[in-house]
Amino acid sequence: MIEIFDPKALDPNKDYGTPPSLSETLVTLDIDGVSVTVPEGTSVLRAAALADINIPKLCASDNLESFGSCRICAVEIAGRRGFPASCTTPVEAGMQVNTQTEKVAKLRRNIMELYISDHPLDCLTCPSNGDCELQDMAGAVGLREVRYGFDGDNHLDAAKDESNPYFTFDPSKCIVCSRCVRACEEVQGTFALTVDGRGFESTIAAGQDESFLESDCVSCGACVQACPTSTLMEKSVIDAGQPEHSVVTTCAYCGVGCSFKAEMKGDQVIRMVPYKGGDANMGHSCVKGRFAFGYATHKDRITDPMIRDSIDQPWRAVSWDEAIGFAAGRFKSIQAEHGRESLGGITSSRCTNEETYLVQKLIRAGFGNNNTDTCARVCHSPTGYGLKVTLGESAGTQTFESVLQSDVIMVVGANPTDAHPVFGSLLRKRLRQGAKLIVADPRQIDLLKTPHLSEAIHLPLRPGTNVALINALAHVIVTEGLEDRAFIAERCSDNSYDQWRAFIQHETNSPEKMAEVTGVPASSVREAARLFANAGNGSIYYGLGVTEHSQGSTMVMGIANLALATGNIGREGVGVNPLRGQNNVQGSCDMGSFPHDLPGYQHISDDAARGRFEAEWGVKLDNEPGLRIPNMFDAAIAGHFKGMYVQGEDIAQSDPNLHHVEAALKSLDCLVVQDIFLNETARFAHVLLPGSTFLEKDGTFTNAERRINRVRKVMAPLGGKQDWEVTMMLSNALGYPMDYSHPSEIMDEIARLTPTFTGVSYDKLEELGSIQWPCNELYPEGTPTMHVTDFPIGKGEFAVTEYLATEERASRRFPLLLTTGRILSQYNVGAQTRRTDNQMWHDEDVLELHPSDAETRGIQDGDWLGISSRVGQTVLRAVLSERMQPGVVYTTFHHPDSGANVITTDNSDWATNCPEYKVTAVQVEKVSQPSEWQQNFVSFRDQQNALLEKGRRREGI
Amino acid sequence: MQTELEHLIQMANQIVANNSFQKDIEQTAATTANHLQKFWARSMKKQIIDYAAQDGSDLSPAAKLAVQQLAS
Ligand code: SF4
Ligand code: SF4
Ligand code: SF4
Ligand code: FES
């Protein structure tokens, strides 16, 4: 007798046929004489699979609701007539199921015969050969002959659709099981596919008879993964054949941190398949992670260390030792001449935790100063600051799955369907189940358009007025008595609440008063506030539209205030959730990349904490914070900051006010860039060290839910070294010894020094799959939901969040407000995605503007527009769009030659210096040629590429 | 383009502006000084202290007071 309890602890590589039931009531039944106990609501098919009785199936899959169309899963059940489909039949207590009778076997063979009679028998040459469920099932049911012949009506010559760059649709092989259609709806939430026609005539179509590329399809690949035949198939598999082994690893694109099986042939990645055992994504992915990995082997990869004396000289390819020696020599002489503080470095949010940790260690212990920073400076540094002040920890409070228990979801300044697509899909699933949605965003984001059950409230505020809006929401909650008194009394500091309450009640914060500032009607604000306050579970998700403002930190605190006031902290379904941009931006912050914070957010002036690092590292550390990125640039231009070590960041594209950045980089005596490509920053460098991609290294990434995931090496580094090895060499050359033989040793050191990582090790990660920090003696397996009983600072702190208008205002000269964002297919500065077929969706950045703003300027769709701000000018093509509000224009920053950051200013958040990317006052006008910056950019790029080519040619590479 | 010092002055004034709601100048200066102490690098502190000592006219009164507290 076998007793089995669903769910969890399952084999992530097995398809159990239907989704798990979450019921806590257990039901016992008998299947083929085996007693099986499962939660009520489980299908017979799944119950059998759990007992390793594998009933044939075609239209069922355990990530889709069962559909019952193929009937091949038929079984006999004692006391019931006919042959019920086991995938749609729920278990009942005492049920007696027989899965293998003579009658059932005959029925299954007949069904299979019908399928096969309309299916090409080219198995030997089919790309699915060896990985085809139809083939497997034909074998399982014992099909031996097909009586109908192939000359009848069939679909065998239906035309292929090869429009999508990554997969092919070959309808001749389709068995119309509709798994693809359901995957697109239920897993992805895009509804791009339909079943056209009925019965034999039925076919699968993308959109209204469009090609896949023209349709609404976002190329997430869920349908390809769901397809049991080779109808929907990765082109890489068609080209290279079936993979032979696989390695579980973590996507290196966004902060969702999806787990993938890298399916390999030797050291060649054939395809990436989202891993069902990954707790962040549970088997789903987006177009970037699944398909856009070709950059890793792109011909532009830098594979040899290179050096040059000045940036107008050609590069010289040299040995690792020579390059490291050159860099170390220059760094030493800079410090000898200009002092200890004249060097600094930037850690990478794309590299692993171990690599980031090592770079900041090199800076603090090797350079002997705290001039370390990371790209989080320009995205989520206000999150770190704001959440630390109010909740006591610089991170989001929930798991992603928590959203499935939210009743009202507020999305502020985030665009999850594009920037965090897999989380976006989860969110949309919850909306289809009936949760309500509030969106605060200047634009009509796609989330508002997707099918969901109830109405969504859109609060289309003017850029730069977040704090005014969040205060107005809180004002309504407090003045209408909607706050959660019990939670406040028990969990929050009285003093801070009293002060905040007095402040927020003030008439100036009312929605009616604030409407003048935000442009949002008071009635919508009141409606949204009531909805949120009265929700059983209210959750808040936010992105860079919150942080990248002059009051970014204030806004983060405003969001925390709202969650505290409504008691939405400390359980599933609620919380404050920053959607973090890059794959490891959470990790890079955790690992002590900020100049004032040692790993684990321990302040550098804290003698006890610093003392522990000094003891472990064997050096005295400076107790004063170091320079942040913008401060480094200022100091470089002023002449007292002379050398930088930049690992895996492209500050010359991603940072604001590029004129200023370029001036700063040009004034450095030694810029060492470690990257996989000659990025924009590397064009200003003296030493270029080949970086390695996530496929070429071991390590860990930490995603937006604080989840530490393993990254596993599947191929050798093209440049011969993993990034942590390079940092180690540089450190040794500078005279600060480092000696690790594997990243796991670095993690052990991190765990010793960082209270929130206590006990984290590669062995433990192997065992648990992933760990959400804080991990400590009390919670040895990590902490999925934070602040359940108390806060790290004891009580929650309300913060007074007065709204102050930004200095960046629309004026007569610059009457429009420019805001920036990203799109699905491209990633950040685009260095990776631009080198893949993702280009097909977005090959240039454009300027979106409202038709009324276009009309007054005589602008038509597709015109070239000059966009000028008080710091610079660039040229982009116009796209007219009703998604914009009049007075607001929008662009992305994925392509370096667009120069979006030539126009953004160096205004920044008051607390953290996070740049105000989201608000720039601009004017636009029709022009006929690229801006002066763009022309210079192109000639500088051509010149630098030529210098690189020269270096490569000379070495015969 | 702003010089390093101009930028520092702007930042100090901005911190003051964001921390002055219903506080008197003493309280605002104390909060600001604490922020500068925790987040500014040594070289930044030194420059603003020197500036406040020699001139300081572009610093708001609370910012000037904060910098003086930082110096002591
Ligand atoms: S394309 Fe594949 S998944 Fe879709 S109906 Fe056809 S066989 Fe099924
Ligand atoms: S790739 Fe994704 S979006 Fe496109 S049709 Fe398939 S499931 Fe739908
Ligand atoms: S980019 Fe983000 S959502 Fe897409 S696969 Fe990678 S981690 Fe997942
Ligand atoms: S698998 Fe049950 S009907 Fe298709």
Side-chain angles (χ1 to χ4, degrees), chain A residues 36 70 89 126 133-134 139 143 152 164 195 212 248 306 369 408 499 541 569 636 681 701 715 791-792 816 867 905:
Chain A
V36 183
C70 76
T89 307
C126 176
E133 292 183 41
L134 188 64
L143 183 72
N164 184 293
V195 185
F212 268 81
V248 175
M306 288 191 256
N369 63 45
V408 175
Q499 276 183 11
Y541 291 85
I569 292 275
T681 311
F701 292 153
M715 58 195 251
F791 296 95
L816 302 171
I867 305 134
T905 68

Side-chain angles (χ1 to χ4, degrees), chain A residues 169 173-180 204 223 226-229 231-232:
Chain A
F169 175 60
K173 306 219 162 154
C174 179
I175 58 171
V176 204
C177 66
S178 84
R179 269 161 72 162
C180 53
I204 301 298
C223 57
C227 183
T229 67
T231 314
L232 283 162

Side-chain angles (χ1 to χ4, degrees), chain A residues 340-341 385 503 506 550-551 554 596 603 622-628 631 634-635 637-638 640 659-660 663 800 802 804 807 906-911 913, chain B residues 1-8 10-23 27 31 34-45 47:
Chain A
R340 197 160 44 91
E341 291 171 16
Y385 181 87
F503 154 76
H506 219 274
S550 64
Q551 284 199 299
T554 312
H596 62 278
H603 201 273
D622 188 350
N623 67 352
E624 285 275 344
L627 298 166
R628 300 170 286 199
N631 314 140
D634 281 343
I637 293 173
H640 55 97
H659 286 304
H660 186 233
V800 170
E802 190 192 5
L804 297 179
E807 287 159 27
D906 46 17
N907 279 356
S908 66
D909 173 44
W910 65 269
N913 278 164
Chain B
M1 222 180 280
Q2 249 180 342
T3 66
E4 185 176 21
L5 180 63
E6 284 163 0
H7 206 174
L8 295 176
Q10 185 196 13
M11 283 157 58
N13 288 338
Q14 208 188 346
I15 298 166
V16 163
N18 276 279
N19 285 287
S20 44
F21 185 78
Q22 284 186 349
K23 285 187 188 141
Q27 287 168 313
T31 312
N34 182 39
H35 189 97
L36 299 179
Q37 180 58 41
K38 271 178 89 174
F39 297 105
W40 280 27
R42 184 184 289 112
S43 60
M44 295 160 70
K45 288 174 186 155
Q47 285 180 67

Side-chain angles (χ1 to χ4, degrees), chain A residues 473-483 485 497 500-501 504-505 565:
Chain A
L473 288 164
H475 175 90
V476 175
I477 288 170
V478 169
T479 52
E480 296 190 5
L482 304 174
E483 71 273 39
R485 297 238 169 83
Y497 178 63
W500 178 74
R501 192 182 159 84
I504 206 78
Q505 278 182 323

Side-chain angles (χ1 to χ4, degrees), chain A residues 637-779:
Chain A
I637 293 173
H640 55 97
F641 185 78
K642 288 289 181 186
M644 262 178 123
Y645 173 41
V646 180
Q647 182 176 81
E649 287 298 338
D650 200 0
I651 44 182
Q653 189 187 349
S654 63
D655 282 43
N657 193 358
L658 281 186
H659 286 304
H660 186 233
V661 177
E662 290 174 1
L665 293 177
K666 280 185 181 155
S667 54
L668 295 175
D669 286 346
C670 182
L671 174 61
V672 178
V673 168
Q674 185 172 333
D675 209 294
I676 58 176
F677 298 117
L678 184 81
N679 62 18
E680 305 315 315
T681 311
R683 304 190 204 287
F684 299 90
H686 307 90
V687 181
L688 188 51
L689 302 172
S692 48
T693 69
F694 75 115
L695 297 170
E696 298 158 37
K697 59 174 76 157
D698 279 302
T700 57
F701 292 153
T702 306
N703 77 355
E705 5 153 64
R706 296 168 274 106
R707 188 185 298 286
I708 310 165
N709 270 319
R710 265 303 305 273
V711 177
R712 294 184 179 85
K713 184 174 155 211
V714 302
M715 58 195 251
L718 295 189
K721 295 199 184 301
Q722 304 182 31
D723 288 303
W724 59 272
E725 296 176 298
V726 180
T727 306
M728 219 163 78
M729 285 179 77
L730 183 57
S731 187
N732 287 327
L734 281 166
Y736 179 73
M738 284 190 190
D739 180 25
Y740 305 95
S741 59
H742 191 269
S744 64
E745 297 169 10
I746 306 176
M747 180 53 87
D748 294 342
E749 181 175 319
I750 295 168
R752 283 196 295 277
L753 291 168
T754 312
T756 45
F757 274 62
T758 307
V760 174
S761 69
Y762 279 30
D763 286 345
K764 196 164 184 175
L765 284 166
E766 209 60 52
E767 183 190 324
L768 299 175
S770 64
I771 299 172
Q772 287 176 279
W773 69 260
C775 179
N776 48 41
E777 285 85 8
L778 219 52
Y779 302 100

Side-chain angles (χ1 to χ4, degrees), chain A residues 458-487:
Chain A
H458 182 202
L459 307 173
L461 72 171
R462 288 194 193 109
T465 63
N466 284 335
V467 173
L469 181 71
I470 205 86
N471 284 349
L473 288 164
H475 175 90
V476 175
I477 288 170
V478 169
T479 52
E480 296 190 5
L482 304 174
E483 71 273 39
D484 184 340
R485 297 238 169 83
F487 182 90

